[in-house]
Amino acid sequence: MTRAAARSTRPLPWLVPAVTVGGLFPAVILGLDALTGALGANPIQRATLQTGLLTLTLLVLSLACTPLRLLTGWTWPARIRKALGLLAFGYGVLHFGIYLLDHGFTLSQITEDVIERPFVTAGFTALLLLVPLALTSRRDSVRRLGFERWTRLHRLVYAAVWVGTLHYYWGVKKDHTPPLIYAAILAALFVIRWAVRRPGRQGRVGSGRAVG
Amino acid sequence: LVRPKRPLGPYDTSEAITPWAQATTYNNFYEFGTDKGDPARMAASLKPRPWTVRIDGEVKKPQTVDIDTLQGWFPLEDRVYRMRCVEGWSMVMPWLGFPLAALIRRLEPTGKAKYVQFTSLYDPKQFPGQRGNVLDWPYVEGLRLDEALHPLTFMAVGLDGRVLPGQNGAPLRLVVPWKYGFKNIKSIVRITLAEKQPQTTWALAASDEYGFYANVNPAVPHPRWSQATERRIGELGRRATLPFNGYADQVAGLYKGMDLRRNF
């Protein structure tokens, strides 16, 4: 038991670097695929799709950290949340960058897309919502904003992930199964947060380690 | 790649032909799956021989005919056509086949025939994508009779001088080069001359996004994306999409007086 306790409090110094390197790995593969022509007949479309999926997946993973901590009492998920969130933002920026490249950085066409096509509006909005979160992800941001305000600001991620999922749903031509799977996972994560945090279960959650 | 050198015909484009490797691995053919790579991966499950085509409806000679007999009725011709997908990409395809008009004339439509309806094979054993209900199977498409009789409208049985690969719609597919690619119904088993406008699969799936006419039109955006530009497969940048996919001189007259925004 003491060994288990010791393990759960171990600082795991490799954890965040491992998540960061692992999270950047798909970008390296994407770059190599682009150079070797492995992205197929329509590489820009493939790269757009892959970076979009990576953005959403990493965002969902970052939102899985708290439910996982609540369910298991482990503390390490909270420590990789920021890295996952920043990786998601990075892929979102890359996704948008590839979209800009796709349209030859033609401002008129891009503005028209953002304003007139809900599919693009949603994607653009989701990315915009992530910008203040990325800007306040520094270690001293919490202190400077105050914990309360920082937490409230970072609730924007909930809006961003749902709008992002809607963007994915609208982007699919016919088979809506994959975006609906994302939506189902998100819904499940929110149900877990809600169920575990319900009054009456607080005590059990508060002493998370005792659960294990 | 063996291609007999030949002078370009009156219907051919002189644009660079999309390489075989890309034309046969990047396909929309939901009967095999929704991923662009699925058709090439799964094509072996389709058996294009033996194959019969049923011809019925408003014709004087309804019949069921073997595909080899059918294609033997006509001298096969090459046609190098642009192909514009509704998703915003395009290719240049060297089809081999015969004009649909030749087939229709041979069948002798009755005076009531106003439309042509096409039906694809329904067989989930050969088309694994039909085990799900992504679309209403079988795939159906249609043309107005004057569109079907237009000399550009083509029935392909081959590509680049070879037998049509499964992923490209073997053994018999429609090619209407001034319309979005989804009109080009593949693996046809039935051709029906009809009095009324036939239903079409994508219009059934999303009538606000895909119409019966589906003429390539840069001025009418898809609700979710612009149709003003396209990416030619093999190129990085986008090019302007042309009205009727560049065939306006030949076909714009078919739609004289029609509101092409409403009849999209």
Side-chain angles (χ1 to χ4, degrees):
Chain A
M1 191 218 157
T2 48
R3 191 180 293 173
R7 189 176 297 161
S8 67
T9 53
R10 196 194 286 172
L12 305 175
W14 49 267
L15 187 64
V16 173
V19 167
T20 310
V21 171
L24 290 172
F25 198 62
V28 175
I29 300 280
L30 193 65
L32 286 175
D33 281 354
L35 289 176
T36 58
L39 289 178
N42 199 344
I44 290 199
Q45 190 222 27
R46 174 79 75 86
T48 308
L49 191 64
Q50 286 192 357
T51 49
L53 282 173
L54 283 163
T55 307
L56 203 53
T57 306
L58 286 160
L59 215 49
V60 169
L61 285 176
S62 77
L63 283 168
C65 292
T66 298
L68 186 64
R69 179 176 58 79
L70 291 173
L71 281 179
T72 62
W74 298 333
T75 53
W76 62 263
R79 294 173 44 209
I80 60 170
R81 198 171 56 168
K82 177 172 131 183
L84 291 170
L86 281 174
L87 281 164
F89 180 69
Y91 280 109
V93 169
L94 190 57
H95 179 68
F96 185 58
I98 295 170
Y99 161 83
L100 293 178
L101 173 72
D102 188 0
H103 292 82
F105 300 94
T106 320
L107 202 62
S108 57
Q109 208 191 330
I110 291 155
T111 317
E112 185 193 299
D113 259 6
V114 170
I115 294 170
E116 288 182 19
R117 302 192 218 294
F119 156 59
V120 186
T121 316
F124 189 69
T125 307
L127 186 62
L128 277 189
L129 288 171
L130 291 178
V131 171
L133 310 197
L135 291 177
T136 56
S137 64
R138 288 161 53 92
R139 208 180 281 272
D140 60 354
S141 300
V142 184
R143 190 167 39 80
R144 279 164 60 186
L145 279 170
F147 182 74
E148 194 76 1
R149 273 166 66 199
W150 186 90
T151 308
R152 240 183 299 145
L153 178 68
H154 277 246
R155 287 203 184 115
L156 281 178
V157 72
Y158 304 143
V161 75
W162 280 112
V163 176
T165 306
L166 186 65
H167 165 68
Y168 183 25
Y169 184 88
W170 278 338
V172 168
K173 194 163 147 207
K174 191 64 182 69
D175 186 6
H176 286 121
T177 316
L180 288 176
I181 289 173
Y182 276 88
I185 293 172
L186 272 179
L189 292 175
F190 280 101
V191 167
I192 293 170
R193 280 164 193 267
W194 170 78
V196 176
R197 282 188 165 143
R198 232 167 7 153
R201 299 200 52 172
Q202 282 293 0
R204 198 175 151 202
V205 173
S207 55
R209 279 215 338 251
V211 176
Chain B
L1 204 106
V2 188
R3 272 181 60 71
K5 283 237 184 285
R6 62 175 181 90
L8 289 179
Y11 305 111
D12 290 322
T13 171
S14 59
E15 290 166 63
I17 289 171
T18 301
W20 175 271
Q22 299 179 336
T24 58
T25 57
Y26 190 76
N27 309 99
N28 276 326
F29 197 174
Y30 282 16
E31 281 83 343
F32 286 120
T34 53
D35 188 88
K36 299 273 189 303
D38 286 339
R41 272 193 293 274
M42 311 298 288
S45 65
L46 174 69
K47 303 287 171 241
R49 294 290 189 288
W51 189 279
T52 55
V53 181
R54 187 167 141 208
I55 295 157
D56 57 7
E58 297 296 335
V59 287
K60 290 188 184 124
K61 298 176 185 168
Q63 58 194 294
T64 297
V65 57
D66 178 76
I67 181 65
D68 292 311
T69 309
L70 188 149
Q71 73 182 51
W73 287 341
F74 314 100
L76 298 186
E77 324 171 11
D78 287 299
R79 292 282 178 96
V80 184
Y81 281 164
R82 288 179 289 275
M83 204 281 296
R84 166 65 155 82
C85 178
V86 74
E87 296 167 351
W89 53 268
S90 60
M91 293 185 180
V92 176
M93 302 290 281
W95 302 112
L96 178 71
F98 53 88
L100 176 60
L103 174 62
I104 292 176
R105 295 216 168 89
R106 187 186 167 102
L107 303 173
E108 300 180 35
T110 70
K112 285 190 192 164
K114 298 282 181 289
Y115 294 91
V116 187
Q117 179 181 338
F118 304 87
T119 309
S120 286
L121 174 71
Y122 175 73
D123 182 356
K125 283 201 196 84
Q126 297 190 58
F127 282 144
Q130 289 179 335
R131 290 167 205 164
N133 55 356
V134 178
L135 293 170
D136 281 335
W137 309 115
Y139 199 98
V140 286
E141 257 304 338
L143 295 171
R144 232 168 47 189
L145 190 59
D146 60 341
E147 296 176 321
L149 291 172
H150 193 279
L152 280 170
T153 306
F154 202 61
M155 298 299 277
V157 296
L159 182 64
D160 210 6
R162 309 183 220 185
V163 171
L164 199 60
Q167 61 266 40
N168 296 84
L172 178 71
R173 70 170 283 169
L174 179 66
V175 180
V176 193
W178 70 91
K179 293 179 181 284
Y180 291 119
F182 66 86
K183 291 296 286 183
N184 299 340
I185 184 169
K186 304 180 178 104
S187 304
I188 295 167
V189 293
R190 186 176 174 192
I191 301 171
T192 308
L193 278 280
E195 210 180 336
K196 295 210 172 81
Q197 181 176 307
Q199 294 201 302
T200 57
T201 291
W202 276 101
L204 285 168
S207 58
D208 56 331
E209 300 186 5
Y210 311 100
F212 175 80
Y213 286 96
N215 293 318
V216 175
N217 191 342
V220 177
H222 183 279
R224 289 182 278 148
W225 56 84
S226 163
Q227 294 290 25
T229 62
E230 68 197 55
R231 172 171 304 104
R232 179 64 50 83
I233 293 302
E235 296 177 357
L236 273 190
R238 285 176 169 262
R239 52 171 72 203
T241 289
L242 302 173
F244 298 103
N245 201 22
Y247 298 94
D249 288 349
Q250 292 100 312
V251 302
L254 294 171
Y255 310 100
K256 207 168 270 174
M258 276 178 69
D259 180 351
L260 295 177
R261 284 189 173 274
R262 279 188 51 223
N263 298 287
F264 58 86

